[in-house]
Amino acid sequence: MSLCLFLVLTLTTWPVRSQLQHYVTQEGHPQPVSTCPTGGCPAPKMISKLLRAIIMGPPGSGKGTISGRIVHDFGMKHLSSGDLLRIQIMTRTAAGVEAQKFIAQGALVPDEVMVQLILNELREITNHSWLLDGFPRTVTQAEALSAKLEIDVVMNLDIPFETIKERLTARWIHPGSGRVYNLDWNPPQVPGKDDVTGEPLIQRDDDKPETVTARLRNYENLTKPLLQFYSTAGKLVSFHGTETNVIYPKVKDFLVTKIPAVADHSQSVKQ
């Protein structure tokens, strides 16, 4: 029996020989015999799903900072609805031309036009995960978007409004240079004066307490039904906190369960 197997293994080609070697190992040989060709078995291919995500958060929530860190750590494309709108208008797509008509009249762009604008851009991104920011703004837009495109997750930054009010109303600027001061963590050396010129600082209308309160109330009224829509659909994940440096690690821990981080991906490719 052993002599026969030796002759067969010697005279057969490698694919058949590999199967026979495997059989010999099962029959009791003490040392397993490799079934891979010279040079070793090829490494298994890494399969990663592209992620289609939306990020939501009130003005002053740190959404821009967190989005930037997501782009850095996960290589996702950050898509601002405002930027997408400008691109479509500049390239004069059908939806862009239609949107420009309403903007020129000082009117809001209808939901169906906005949805088409966004879809025109999103459909072009076929090999990257992306993070959509600033859209949808209404349930009608969300329904229309979901009917055309599957959204994987909606990440909501849940920051107490009082924290945001304190953060925004503490911001003062020097109008001549655009230098920004924050009374909490970057105050001017002399209260109310620019460090360089000594000129008075001002507070933008958007940063005044009454304006901030109105903006936050308006945001809540607009997004509450939207959050409910995505919660019912099982897409909503909320992250609670008062500081970006505390919230982002939670966001990152969540995302690594969905897609590989950039560093992890590069290491896996090298291996």
Side-chain angles (χ1 to χ4, degrees):
M1 175 82 177
S2 298
L3 178 60
C4 292
L5 282 174
F6 172 77
L7 292 174
V8 173
L9 288 172
T10 303
L11 297 175
T12 50
T13 58
W14 178 82
V16 176
R17 186 163 64 247
S18 297
Q19 295 179 0
L20 290 171
Q21 286 173 330
H22 180 64
Y23 167 80
V24 172
T25 301
Q26 288 182 326
E27 286 296 307
H29 276 47
Q31 295 296 328
V33 182
S34 172
T35 60
C36 294
T38 303
C41 297
K45 293 183 178 180
M46 178 178 178
I47 300 175
S48 59
K49 180 182 182 297
L50 297 180
L51 186 69
R52 296 169 170 177
I54 295 172
I55 188 167
M56 297 179 62
S61 63
K63 184 175 60 172
T65 301
I66 288 177
S67 295
R69 294 183 184 182
I70 290 173
V71 170
H72 177 271
D73 290 342
F74 295 93
M76 298 180 71
K77 285 187 175 294
H78 179 223
L79 307 171
S80 163
S81 60
D83 291 342
L84 297 184
L85 175 60
R86 284 187 287 273
I87 291 171
Q88 291 286 304
I89 291 175
M90 288 175 59
T91 55
R92 296 192 62 78
T93 64
V97 171
E98 189 69 17
Q100 180 61 39
K101 294 178 182 178
F102 292 96
I103 294 173
Q105 298 171 2
L108 293 175
V109 180
D111 286 339
E112 61 270 18
V113 177
M114 279 301 302
V115 171
Q116 192 57 52
L117 281 167
I118 300 298
L119 287 174
N120 286 346
E121 291 295 320
L122 295 183
R123 285 170 175 161
E124 295 296 318
I125 305 173
T126 58
N127 59 351
H128 275 88
S129 296
W130 47 254
L131 182 67
L132 183 57
D133 181 358
F135 188 89
R137 295 180 182 272
T138 67
V139 172
T140 301
Q141 292 178 350
E143 291 173 338
L145 181 64
S146 296
K148 299 289 186 179
L149 200 64
E150 178 69 21
I151 301 298
D152 297 312
V153 65
V154 177
M155 297 182 291
N156 175 49
L157 306 180
D158 185 12
I159 318 298
F161 280 0
E162 283 303 315
T163 298
I164 295 176
K165 286 171 63 176
E166 292 173 2
R167 186 181 297 173
L168 293 181
T169 56
R171 187 164 57 188
W172 290 74
I173 67 169
H174 175 242
S177 65
R179 279 185 287 275
V180 179
Y181 297 86
N182 187 288
L183 301 184
D184 293 329
W185 52 267
N186 181 36
Q189 296 175 3
V190 178
K193 302 291 184 180
D194 178 49
D195 288 349
V196 178
T197 65
E199 295 172 346
L201 302 177
I202 66 169
Q203 192 172 43
R204 299 186 312 170
D205 288 340
D206 283 352
D207 295 336
K208 292 179 178 178
E210 61 275 16
T211 307
V212 171
T213 299
R215 289 171 64 198
L216 292 175
R217 187 179 299 116
N218 183 55
Y219 175 84
E220 183 177 35
N221 292 337
L222 282 174
T223 58
K224 191 173 183 179
L226 190 57
L227 294 174
Q228 183 59 51
F229 171 81
Y230 282 120
S231 177
T232 301
K235 306 290 187 181
L236 184 67
V237 180
S238 290
F239 300 92
H240 312 276
T242 59
E243 298 178 23
T244 298
N245 288 338
V246 174
I247 294 175
Y248 181 66
K250 301 176 184 177
V251 174
K252 185 175 182 180
D253 287 346
F254 169 75
L255 284 176
V256 294
T257 67
K258 302 296 182 182
I259 54 174
V262 172
D264 294 339
H265 179 67
S266 62
Q267 290 173 2
S268 65
V269 171
K270 291 178 182 179
Q271 293 174 353

